[in-house]
Amino acid sequence: MSLQGLRTLWALYRRELRGFFVSPIAYIILMVFLLANGVTFLFYVRALHGQLEAIVMSQFTLIPFWFLCLLVPPLLTMRTVAEERRSGTLELLATAGVTDTAIVWAKYLSSWTFLCVLWAMTIPLFVVLNWGGAVDWGVLTAVYAGIALFGALLTSIGVFASTLSQNQLVAAAVSMVVSLLLFFMNSFRYLFQVGDYEIQYFNYISPTFHFTNDFVRGVFDYRYLIIYASTSLFFLFLAIKSLERRRWW
């Protein structure tokens, strides 16, 4: 990408990110997100009697965590491209010389940045918890790195889904279905016998397995970086090609 292309991408990125911070919907998502995390965190602290390791394990492996992980990215990305197509501003960007690649990457990076900001705002919960004991920040670093990688993948799926239709609800539904498929990926391992090679394959690509067996134990395998990054790039490639097809209709 040329220097001018990078400047265009940076300008679009700032525009999209600013749009999140002035949108009432984004603040509603932020409020519900922080409230849900705060309530579940307080519940785990009281129910587990201050057992730090068990609190961290519960906070990042049980259903409330996965519900937020799978729900928030589709809500953030459902309007990224779909709204532009519905309002006609997408064509204005094209006539201004903005490439489809720059549009997709700007939408993606801004959505992922806002998602990372959401999760970063939960870190003070563990700062407070650290007052009553020694929180393992190495484990939390691995967990939040895993959240960032998984969030990058879900965001790329959401942006791709948003290029498929002008209807935001359709985009959110498609993104949610694909995200749920990832969530239940590890369940397919029960179709095989213990010791079968296929089980290792599903473990390798299953986000739920990564969190429950590695991230919450402070283990960060570089192979996870490869698989999440490559899969995210694949969905972004599909998003760019999906956006390009409008020229032929």
Side-chain angles (χ1 to χ4, degrees):
M1 183 177 290
S2 65
L3 180 59
Q4 181 59 38
L6 290 176
R7 289 175 178 173
T8 301
L9 175 60
W10 174 246
L12 285 174
Y13 168 76
R14 289 189 302 169
R15 167 182 172 265
E16 294 297 327
L17 188 59
R18 189 184 306 113
F20 278 114
F21 286 99
V22 299
S23 170
I25 296 178
Y27 279 98
I28 292 174
I29 294 175
L30 173 63
M31 181 187 68
V32 174
F33 177 85
L34 293 179
L35 180 62
N37 269 291
V39 169
T40 55
F41 180 80
L42 179 61
F43 173 79
Y44 296 141
V45 170
R46 294 175 62 90
L48 298 173
H49 307 291
Q51 301 176 42
L52 302 184
E53 184 177 346
I55 292 172
V56 173
M57 176 77 72
S58 301
Q59 185 74 14
F60 295 110
T61 59
L62 298 185
I63 292 300
F65 167 74
W66 289 109
F67 178 78
L68 293 174
C69 267
L70 300 176
L71 179 65
V72 174
L75 294 180
L76 292 178
T77 57
M78 66 180 183
R79 64 182 298 272
T80 49
V81 181
E83 179 63 19
E84 297 272 17
R85 293 182 60 185
R86 188 191 65 80
S87 62
T89 54
L90 192 62
E91 300 304 325
L92 292 177
L93 289 174
T95 56
V98 180
T99 64
D100 294 333
T101 300
I103 293 173
V104 168
W105 273 98
K107 302 284 188 183
Y108 168 72
L109 291 174
S110 59
S111 301
W112 184 45
T113 300
F114 189 79
L115 181 64
C116 290
V117 169
L118 287 182
W119 282 106
M121 294 182 71
T122 64
I123 294 178
L125 295 175
F126 298 97
V127 174
V128 173
L129 185 63
N130 193 55
W131 292 348
V135 173
D136 191 334
W137 292 104
V139 170
L140 288 177
T141 300
V143 168
Y144 279 99
I147 290 174
L149 289 177
F150 188 44
L153 173 56
L154 295 182
T155 302
S156 67
I157 293 172
V159 172
F160 166 63
S162 187
T163 65
L164 299 177
S165 173
Q166 298 181 11
N167 191 308
Q168 298 182 30
L169 294 180
V170 172
V174 172
S175 178
M176 183 63 69
V177 168
V178 179
S179 299
L180 285 173
L181 180 62
L182 289 174
F183 173 73
F184 288 109
M185 185 68 69
N186 201 42
S187 300
F188 294 134
R189 66 198 301 270
Y190 297 109
L191 299 175
F192 303 94
Q193 299 296 324
V194 176
D196 287 349
Y197 178 79
E198 289 80 3
I199 293 180
Q200 298 181 18
Y201 175 76
F202 284 111
N203 289 343
Y204 177 66
I205 63 176
S206 170
T208 53
F209 182 86
H210 301 164
F211 275 91
T212 56
N213 292 273
D214 287 335
F215 292 145
V216 295
R217 302 184 190 280
V219 177
F220 186 87
D221 195 324
Y222 73 92
R223 292 177 297 178
Y224 293 155
L225 177 61
I226 295 174
I227 188 172
Y228 283 113
S230 59
T231 310
S232 300
L233 289 174
F234 173 71
F235 278 103
L236 289 176
F237 171 78
L238 293 181
I240 293 171
K241 294 304 177 183
S242 176
L243 203 58
E244 290 177 348
R245 70 185 171 88
R246 76 188 190 281
R247 300 176 181 176
W248 306 102
W249 291 82

